[in-house]
Amino acid sequence: MSVLVLIAVAVLGLALLLPPELLVLVVAVGAMALVYFSGAVYLLGRPEWLPERFDRVPIVLGIGFPLVVVGVVGYHFRALLTPIAVVFMLGLLFVFLYYWLVVPLALFQKVRHQSVTPEPAAWPAVTVLVPAYNEEHYVGRCLRSIHASTYPGVLSVVVVDDGSTDGTYAEACAEAGEETRVIRTANGGKHAALNAALEHTETELVVSVDADSTVHPDAITELVRDFERHDGVGAIAGNVKVDNRGSLVANLQALEYVVGINTFRRAFDLFGAVTVVPGSLGAFRRDVLDEVHGYSADTVTEDFDLTIEILKRGYAIHASEAIVYTEGPDTWRDLYAQRRRWFQGNLQTVLKHREVFVDSRFGVLHRVAFPYIFLSMSALPLLGLLVLVLIVSSVFVGGSGLLLQLAVFFVLLQVLLSALAIQIEGEDLRLAVLAPFSLFGYKQFQDVVLLRSLYALWSDRGGATEWLKPTRVRQRATDGAGVPVPIAGPGSANRAIASASERDSGPTSEADVDPLGVSEMDVDPLGISEE
């Protein structure tokens, strides 16, 4: 509550920085956006109020709302503001509202989620699937984290080495416990590895974990609790956190996961329409996976594709507090490669399921989720680039003082909004200092990559199906003896893996070495040490 009060006071104070005309513009557009989105949320619970002839209303409003706001407000203030200032203002405002309208929903979800902690009458057996391709120095610590799980029921693991050319298979075998099965197949892709693992699974609940990720000891327990918490659920999405913090690129991703991914996942949880169950940690009902015929090879983002397929069948998908730590790319080149694959796969998936846009039978997926996805893939990237172009052009044509004033206003708002999102996630508040990059710099980098991915898809040059994989930090940081150099990351993840190594009952290597090399260290999650 104190954070909310602080934000309210700060927003009122920041408003004093704007000329009265611009303040009216902000309030007007914000009010229209609030009425539109709150009305949409209200109607979600009353789909019978929307006749079939209004099936395409979400699409029309999603496109028309920004155009109407720009037209009406721009016409009204045409004599008071320069065209550049108005466009710049509206561009920044819509980027900000994209987050501003979601964070309160995320806060409500957090409070509601904490109010109920269900316990199943009997903890069901769970199988964890771990697909792995060239995951040497990663798959071992992933298995150790799974073995460290506090899950009270029967837990088994199936690892599928998808034709790796390094020491992945040997490392997985060395770390395999009594309930772990390691399978080696010819390289067929991640979807094929997961489908192969399903063939060796008999439990009603299945959890998928990427081999380069490590799960919190309580993660699987939390996932199973969420199946008890919700009705009609087909899958549960984990809470992903970046492990290897310390560089600017990694820290920006850590903030992005908090504000740009987990916050939206919490908001969509309220509607049972989480749009992506991440490959790094997700739980599924086995019968639902069978109903959708498992993982598909149609896109390079099989997790997004599978999630939409489950939602189309009428099952709810919710978010969980179950934490998984993953390694983010630590260079701009590797981040570019990762995001190219993500964006191309996302575009492939949207095109594959494009009938959702016009078919009301898909409920919330039709009315909310896909319009949001369309907005994030179309208007927002263009607005982000437009803002950058206007900043550069203002230096040559004048008016840079006013644009700078507007930019400072929205940057401060974004910092405050990010601070609230960080509080919701229980993350380090120091990440908020990177919030300005959400509007300038990192935002435009993402926009360029998205537009490049769109070009690759439409030009049909093969790039849309290319699996772009960033280089791995620990594999690059391996010394001549084959022992990984320590990589900084959140201490909680490292301690969880260290405790796993103590409990591991499976075959071990000759030397009992913590693969992170940091199990005895308290690592600063932001990489800000006292040195």
Side-chain angles (χ1 to χ4, degrees):
M1 181 61 68
S2 59
V3 176
L4 291 176
V5 173
L6 175 62
I7 290 176
V9 173
V11 169
L12 292 175
L14 291 173
L16 299 177
L17 295 174
L18 292 180
E21 297 83 2
L22 290 181
L23 180 58
V24 172
L25 179 61
V26 172
V27 173
V29 177
M32 284 187 281
L34 183 61
V35 170
Y36 166 64
F37 283 99
S38 60
V41 171
Y42 184 77
L43 289 174
L44 281 176
R46 298 162 180 80
E48 67 277 4
W49 289 15
L50 288 176
E52 291 186 3
R53 63 179 177 276
F54 294 144
D55 284 350
R56 301 190 180 186
V57 165
I59 300 176
V60 174
L61 290 179
I63 299 174
F65 175 72
L67 295 178
V68 170
V69 171
V70 171
V72 172
V73 178
Y75 178 81
H76 183 72
F77 290 99
R78 67 189 186 281
L80 301 175
L81 300 170
T82 65
I84 289 181
V86 172
V87 175
F88 181 80
M89 176 73 158
L90 292 174
L92 275 182
L93 187 59
F94 277 106
V95 172
F96 174 73
L97 289 176
Y98 178 73
Y99 299 104
W100 177 73
L101 294 169
V102 171
V103 171
L105 294 178
L107 178 61
F108 176 74
Q109 185 272 351
K110 177 77 171 183
V111 173
R112 192 174 74 170
H113 192 279
Q114 291 178 334
S115 65
V116 180
T117 306
E119 295 285 339
W123 293 92
V126 174
T127 302
V128 180
L129 313 182
V130 183
Y133 174 73
N134 286 352
E135 299 289 359
E136 187 178 9
H137 305 314
Y138 288 93
V139 67
R141 67 183 222 155
C142 174
L143 291 177
R144 299 233 271 251
S145 72
I146 296 171
H147 295 157
S149 172
T150 60
Y151 184 64
V154 177
L155 187 65
S156 57
V157 184
V158 178
V159 183
V160 176
D161 176 17
D162 185 38
S164 297
T165 58
D166 61 1
T168 297
Y169 180 75
E171 185 174 324
C173 290
E175 299 294 343
E178 294 180 358
E179 299 297 328
T180 302
R181 183 171 186 176
V182 182
I183 302 167
R184 197 170 197 177
T185 65
N187 180 254
K190 186 177 179 180
H191 72 281
L194 286 164
N195 288 331
L198 283 174
E199 294 177 1
H200 298 274
T201 302
E202 299 179 354
T203 57
E204 295 181 1
L205 294 181
V206 175
V207 174
S208 65
V209 178
D210 281 346
D212 63 346
S213 302
T214 55
V215 297
H216 188 278
D218 297 331
I220 297 175
T221 302
E222 286 296 322
L223 290 172
V224 174
R225 280 201 182 107
D226 284 311
F227 279 101
E228 294 290 321
R229 181 178 279 113
H230 305 287
D231 297 324
V233 63
I236 301 292
N239 187 319
V240 185
K241 297 183 181 294
V242 175
D243 189 28
N244 57 314
R245 304 179 192 184
S247 66
L248 176 62
V249 177
N251 290 346
L252 285 171
Q253 292 171 79
L255 179 64
E256 178 191 10
Y257 273 80
V258 172
V259 180
I261 297 179
N262 289 337
T263 298
F264 281 88
R265 196 166 284 153
R266 288 183 183 278
F268 280 94
D269 171 81
L270 294 174
F271 313 119
V274 173
T275 54
V276 179
V277 177
S280 50
L281 181 64
F284 304 86
R285 282 172 38 193
R286 172 59 192 268
D287 61 324
V288 173
L289 288 177
D290 291 338
E291 183 178 338
V292 300
H293 308 295
Y295 292 84
S296 170
D298 293 339
T299 74
V300 294
T301 49
E302 72 294 320
D303 50 0
F304 183 28
D305 188 12
L306 175 64
T307 304
I308 299 302
E309 195 67 60
I310 293 174
L311 288 171
K312 287 172 63 177
R313 302 297 176 106
Y315 295 102
I317 297 181
H318 290 276
S320 175
E321 298 291 339
I323 295 175
V324 61
Y325 301 95
T326 191
E327 178 186 281
D330 66 334
T331 68
W332 291 107
R333 180 186 297 274
D334 290 324
L335 182 62
Y336 172 82
Q338 182 199 62
R339 298 310 164 93
R340 273 286 306 277
R341 181 176 68 83
W342 283 12
F343 291 148
Q344 287 178 8
N346 291 347
L347 291 166
Q348 287 177 319
T349 301
V350 169
L351 288 175
K352 175 182 176 180
H353 302 284
R354 57 188 176 274
E355 72 275 9
V356 172
F357 283 111
V358 295
D359 195 335
S360 64
R361 292 178 304 167
F362 298 118
V364 175
L365 187 62
H366 159 72
R367 294 185 176 93
V368 176
F370 259 49
Y372 150 74
I373 292 170
F374 173 82
L375 182 65
S376 66
M377 289 184 173
S378 56
L380 286 174
L382 294 176
L383 285 173
L385 293 177
L386 178 61
V387 166
L388 183 62
V389 170
L390 289 176
I391 292 176
V392 175
S393 63
S394 67
V395 175
F396 300 97
V397 301
S400 58
L402 179 59
L403 296 193
L404 179 61
Q405 190 176 31
L406 291 171
V408 170
F409 176 77
F410 279 103
V411 162
L412 292 174
L413 283 179
Q414 187 69 19
V415 170
L416 293 170
L417 188 70
S418 299
L420 177 57
I422 290 168
Q423 285 287 97
I424 293 173
E425 287 293 320
E427 276 280 2
D428 194 324
L429 272 173
R430 289 177 296 175
L431 285 173
V433 302
L434 300 175
F437 292 101
S438 300
L439 296 176
F440 304 104
Y442 189 66
K443 172 74 171 63
Q444 284 71 34
F445 170 81
Q446 300 263 49
D447 295 338
V448 169
V449 178
L450 174 57
L451 295 176
R452 173 66 180 85
S453 302
L454 182 62
Y455 172 77
L457 183 65
W458 285 105
S459 62
D460 193 27
R461 296 181 179 180
T465 57
E466 182 182 3
W467 185 279
L468 299 169
K469 184 176 181 179
T471 61
R472 295 299 177 80
V473 177
R474 292 176 52 76
Q475 292 172 347
R476 283 203 319 266
T478 302
D479 62 21
V483 179
V485 175
I487 303 297
S492 54
N494 302 330
R495 286 190 290 271
I497 300 168
S499 63
S501 66
E502 297 172 0
R503 296 173 47 186
D504 186 11
S505 59
T508 60
S509 58
E510 293 182 3
D512 186 13
V513 178
D514 176 16
L516 282 181
V518 291
S519 60
E520 301 299 328
M521 300 169 58
D522 289 326
V523 179
D524 182 354
L526 282 182
I528 306 173
S529 65
E530 298 179 358
E531 297 180 359

